[in-house]
């Protein structure tokens, strides 16, 4: 009897474990706000939607097949600037010295996050094995008290001696990756490391040590502990997230470089490093989602208005400066702080030296995603989409294995000096980055592309939200448990026609909230072939509330004419210049597309030009090009003079072909411009 009773207990435990796993299976979000009180919708799990081909489907597949595996290979080399090698040394598995950048561990964890994210859909056992293998090494590398950061453990630098050592950046990415790994696999091996680390951090930071107030140089740790709170339900981690937000700027020695001069709740202006800023704001948005503290939200809204009204490129990039100073306008505190990889002054948006680190662009999208989750306002989705199609995608080559660190809007000839970490061509993944090269951006791209389908949808009581369009399928449950399944068929972003077919629908009424992008004019909606009366306001969500049945089809038509854009006149560099957009895509001129003998700087575009929109299936993996008759002014004899007379010779006509900005520099080193002088 006794043994039978034990077996029953074991079986009950096993059933409970399976039930727990099944419970987890429904919670594979990247940012899990399903229990957060101050959000407008919940995000969806990594396995609740998938691209089914099309623009993003091809990129998701490439991420699985090419980007993630080749990145792992190069990150295993001891000579890459972000390398798993350091973790093996710290684990005592091999003898060696620390190599690479201080923030390399964090970039390794980002790779695990990318792998876990694709594993949610492809269930590749080899990927699962690789993750377990490296997680075992990480667990061994972790100090007995929970600390882990190999640039400190393997050197004589000492813990918490210099904020530039990036300890919390590394740790933050560990926490996030561990949460996603746990959600996707149901395993606790990485989560246990994360809890031990976060418990250690609580002991260090809960006493609010003044000398460590600004230690989160690049605060991925706030998002990390917030997500750990959501994973475990342990409130001490949320408290720690709040502490990190509050400590920054609380001491007089803070610099604008990492947003530590002014406490976030009082901040009026976006200043300093564009990645650290957006990571801070992401973390604060995560805290707000749980606490609803109005002063945090107000600060985030002020900062968003500042960024989008005068500090963001048309591509969604935000880091105007490679090196410079934080020129505060509203809050004058002399002297200005020296900053790098940073926001510029208002309207200071240079094109050739526009830095736009890939991580800053991605961080801008992550922040806007969170603002969208908090508010349900489409203006945030517009920025997110702007980044994804332009300044994020420009950072990865069409083959999925070479990367830009910076994403300028103008590239001149090879004799014009480059900025640090910038390069004439994307640097390849197949050979190690040089020790000075920073490897933070490649795994950031890998994880974001792996997760992009979860940015596309949201679910709330009685409503499904579609934020991003692309061929794909959503299969989820509404709050309350009703199943909803729908399929998007579209050639977006090349074509604005989107067909949404309902597969499964709840018995009661449900609202479909479709994002109407801010760039669109005269959108049209049909339901089962009939023009619908719903109001379609650009930069808002069109709500279609009705009883649905399987087979219902909603067609959204977003016209995509070629649009000439100009800047606010205070963006001095862009005076009398235009940029060309079609749908969400920013276009550019690459010198490869110019007739022989015409230099890129001699091209003039006519404001009333007639455009041909043409699909080129064999160009740049298939793009839609824009063509028009433009003018080329003659090269003057004194073309190298700094100042010269305006030429009097008449401009001649040329056929101008523009390609999407994201696809530039895929045909060898080139010159490129987004902004073109207009006649
Ligand atoms: Zn980066």
């Amino acid at each position: 009897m006794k043994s039978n009773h034990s077996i029953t207990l074991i079986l009950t435990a096993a059933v409970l474990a399976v039930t727990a796993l099944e419970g987890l299976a429904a919670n594979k979000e990247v940012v899990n706000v399903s229990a957060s009180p101050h959000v407008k919708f919940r995000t969806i799990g990594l396995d609740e939607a998938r691209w089914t081909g099309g623009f993003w489907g091809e990129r998701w597949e490439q991420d699985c097949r090419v980007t993630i595996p080749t990145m792992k290979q190069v990150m295993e080399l001891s000579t890459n600037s972000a390398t798993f090698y350091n973790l093996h040394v710290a684990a005592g598995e091999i003898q060696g010295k620390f190599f690479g950048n201080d923030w390399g561990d964090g970039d390794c964890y980002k790779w695990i996050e990318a792998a876990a994210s694709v594993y949610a859909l492809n269930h590749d056992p080899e990927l699962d094995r690789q993750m377990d293998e490296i997680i075992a090494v990480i667990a061994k590398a972790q100090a007995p008290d929970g600390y882990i950061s190999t640039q400190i453990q393997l050197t004589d630098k000492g813990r918490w001696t210099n904020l530039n050592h990036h300890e919390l950046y590394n740790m933050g990415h560990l926490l996030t990756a561990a949460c996603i790994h746990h959600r996707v696999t149901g395993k606790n091996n990485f989560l246990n490391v994360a809890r031990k680390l976060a418990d250690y951090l609580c002991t260090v930071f809960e006493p609010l040590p003044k000398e460590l107030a600004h230690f989160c140089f690049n605060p991925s740790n706030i998002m990390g502990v917030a997500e750990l709170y959501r994973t475990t339900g342990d409130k001490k981690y949320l408290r720690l997230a709040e502490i990190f937000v509050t400590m920054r700027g609380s001491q007089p020695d803070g610099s604008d470089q990492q947003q530590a001069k002014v406490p976030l709740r009082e901040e009026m202006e976006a200043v300093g490093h564009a990645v650290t800023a957006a990571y801070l704001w992401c973390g604060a948005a995560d805290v707000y989602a749980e606490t609803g503290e109005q002063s945090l939200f107000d600060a985030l809204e002020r900062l968003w208005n500042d960024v989008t009204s005068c500090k963001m490129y048309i591509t969604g990039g935000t880091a105007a400066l490679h090196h410079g100073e934080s020129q505060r306008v509203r809050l004058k505190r002399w002297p200005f702080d020296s900053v790098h990889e940073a926001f510029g002054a208002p309207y200071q948006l240079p094109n050739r030296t526009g830095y736009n680190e890939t991580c800053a662009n991605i961080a801008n999208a992550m922040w806007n995603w969170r603002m969208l989750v908090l508010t349900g306002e489409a203006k945030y989705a517009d920025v997110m989409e702007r980044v994804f199609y332009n300044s994020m995608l420009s950072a990865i080559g069409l083959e999925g294995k070479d990367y830009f660190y910076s994403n300028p809007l103008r590239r001149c000839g090879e004799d014009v000096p480059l900025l640090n970490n910038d390069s004439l061509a994307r640097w390849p993944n197949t050979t190690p980055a040089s020790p000075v090269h920073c490897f933070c951006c490649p795994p950031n791209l890998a994880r974001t592309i792996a997760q992009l389908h979860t940015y596309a949808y949201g679910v709330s009581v009685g409503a499904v939200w579609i934020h991003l369009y692309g061929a794909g399928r959503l299969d989820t449950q509404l709050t309350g448990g009703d199943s909803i399944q729908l399929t998007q068929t579209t050639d977006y972003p090349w074509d604005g026609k989107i067909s949404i077919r309902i597969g499964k629908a709840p018995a009661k009424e449900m609202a479909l909230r479709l994002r109407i992008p801010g760039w669109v004019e005269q959108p049209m909606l049909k339901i089962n072939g009939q023009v619908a009366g719903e109001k379609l306001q650009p930069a808002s969500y069109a709500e279609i509330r009705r009883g649905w049945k399987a087979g219902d089809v909603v067609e959204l038509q977003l016209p995509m004419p070629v649009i000439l854009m100009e800047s606010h006149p205070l963006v001095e560099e862009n005076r009398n210049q235009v940029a060309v957009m079609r749908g969400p895509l920013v276009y550019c001129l690459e010198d490869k597309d110019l007739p022989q003998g015409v230099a890129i700087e001699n091209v003039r575009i006519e404001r009333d030009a007639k455009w041909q929109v043409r699909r080129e299936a064999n160009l740049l993996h298939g793009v839609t090009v824009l063509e028009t008759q433009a003018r080329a002014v003659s090269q003057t004899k004194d073309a190298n003079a700094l100042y010269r007379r305006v030429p009097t010779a008449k401009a001649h006509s040329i056929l101008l072909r523009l390609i999407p900005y994201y696809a530039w520099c895929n045909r060898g080193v080139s010159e490129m411009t987004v902004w073109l002088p207009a006649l």
Side-chain angles (χ1 to χ4, degrees), residues 312-315 349-352 356 386 408-411 563-568 571-581 586-589 600-601 603-605 607 658 661 672-678:
M312 186 174 78
Y313 285 90
I314 195 166
T315 56
L349 293 162
N351 293 318
R352 179 175 67 79
N356 293 332
R386 186 184 289 275
L409 282 75
R410 174 81 168 102
R411 172 58 45 81
I563 305 284
L564 296 192
M565 304 290 293
E566 65 174 15
S567 301
H568 186 287
V571 183
E572 194 67 30
E573 283 218 7
N574 295 344
R575 290 303 305 275
N576 296 319
Q577 299 205 76
V578 294
V580 183
M581 289 191 74
V586 174
Y587 275 72
C588 74
L589 169 61
I600 211 164
E601 58 269 24
V603 175
R604 306 286 182 269
I605 210 165
R607 285 169 201 268
L658 304 184
Y661 168 72
M672 178 277 297
T673 189
V674 167
W675 292 94
L676 285 156

Side-chain angles (χ1 to χ4, degrees), residues 7 24 87 152 164 321-322 333 352 438 527 582 636:
I7 288 168
L24 287 169
L87 289 159
I152 307 297
N164 292 313
L321 301 179
H322 174 228
R333 287 197 187 177
R352 179 175 67 79
C438 179
I527 302 170
R582 180 171 178 271
T636 56

Side-chain angles (χ1 to χ4, degrees), residues 264-341:
L264 177 61
R265 291 173 180 83
E266 296 163 31
E267 186 56 275
M268 309 287 286
E269 298 169 84
V271 291
H273 198 289
V275 183
T276 70
Y279 278 11
L280 170 66
W281 304 335
C282 284
D286 284 343
V287 170
Y288 172 83
E290 308 304 327
T291 65
E293 184 198 329
Q294 193 60 39
S295 61
L296 268 186
F297 182 81
D298 292 346
L300 293 174
E301 204 173 37
R302 285 196 300 274
L303 288 161
W304 190 87
N305 287 332
D306 189 43
V307 171
T308 56
S309 69
C310 59
K311 293 178 181 170
M312 186 174 78
Y313 285 90
I314 195 166
T315 56
T318 52
L321 301 179
H322 174 228
H323 269 281
E325 55 183 21
S326 63
Q327 296 187 23
R328 286 185 175 277
V329 175
R330 295 183 184 90
L331 183 72
K332 299 207 189 294
R333 287 197 187 177
W334 190 261
F336 294 142
D337 290 345
S338 168
V339 293
H340 62 268
E341 304 187 327

